Amino acid sequence: EVQLLESGGGLVQPGGSLRLSCAGSGFTFSNYAMSWVRQAPGKGLEWVSAINGGSSVIYYADTVKGRFTISRDNSKNTLYLQMNSLRAEDTAVYYCAKDQGVAGSSKRTFDYWGQGTLVTVSS
Amino acid sequence: EIVLTQSPATLSLSPGERATLSCRASQSVSTYLTWYQQKPGQAPRLLIYDASNRATGIPARFSGSGSGTDFTLSISSLETEDFAVYYCQQRTNWPLTFGGGTKVEIK
């Protein structure tokens, strides 16, 4: 059974940093691209960042480019999101999501999602 | 950036009725359009990919259609568990974008 478990959320002051983690199990983690998607309270979904299985291809939304860094450690089956220079508008539930495509063929469609971790940016 | 516009924002229907949700793209996305369902307090769930393909385990009452810029998600006969928010997402271009969502509520 595919499982994704996020951690690392919490309350942080504006300008602060936080690192989110997402532990994957039940599938060959290194074979799949992964993404972070966020959802502000009461709002819709916003894609944040994506990384391919080998970490050679990375994309970011313009709203986080230069402040957030996505990475992964395939030996630990874990996806990360380093978030720096946080702003109030970054407050959201952050989901990690598994790409539907197999073995290097990203479909940019998400077939499994974690339960999310809440990041609150406030003084 | 491709903008996806979903309509209506809210759909009030009774169980057993048919639901028709729309997603319009600001430019052609071919058939690279995905639908997700999200219930309160839960993560989104994949329903339909590539415009018309049901994901694993999705009931046949859910169907998707469309190509280019206009897409439709239909629920043939609403069950109580189908009352939720539905999002479309395009995978044609980066950045990936989602529509604003359609809430299907019980009338």
Side-chain angles (χ1 to χ4, degrees), chain A residues 7-47:
Chain A
S7 60
L11 175 64
V12 61
Q13 292 188 337
S17 297
L18 212 55
R19 188 176 84 154
L20 306 182
S21 299
C22 170
S25 61
F27 63 105
T28 304
F29 187 79
S30 60
N31 281 356
Y32 293 88
M34 299 290 295
S35 278
W36 290 98
V37 177
R38 67 184 180 182
Q39 187 169 36
K43 302 298 184 182
L45 301 170
E46 180 189 15
W47 170 80

Side-chain angles (χ1 to χ4, degrees), chain B residues 27-51:
Chain B
Q27 64 188 78
S28 176
V29 298
S30 184
T31 57
Y32 299 141
L33 196 285
T34 305
W35 291 94
Y36 301 93
Q37 176 194 66
Q38 187 179 34
K39 297 178 182 179
Q42 296 185 16
R45 177 173 74 142
L46 175 64
L47 289 180
I48 302 286
Y49 64 94
D50 292 346

Side-chain angles (χ1 to χ4, degrees), chain A residues 37 39 43-47 50 59 61 95 100 106-111 113-115, chain B residues 34 36 38 42-46 49-50 87 89 91-96 98-100:
Chain A
V37 177
Q39 187 169 36
K43 302 298 184 182
L45 301 170
E46 180 189 15
W47 170 80
Y59 295 95
Y95 296 101
Q100 185 186 35
S106 172
K107 289 201 69 176
R108 292 168 278 182
T109 297
F110 309 122
D111 57 356
W113 299 63
Q115 86 291 344
Chain B
T34 305
Y36 301 93
Q38 187 179 34
Q42 296 185 16
R45 177 173 74 142
L46 175 64
Y49 64 94
D50 292 346
Y87 294 97
Q89 176 234 322
R91 70 178 188 94
T92 298
N93 288 346
W94 301 97
L96 306 182
F98 291 88

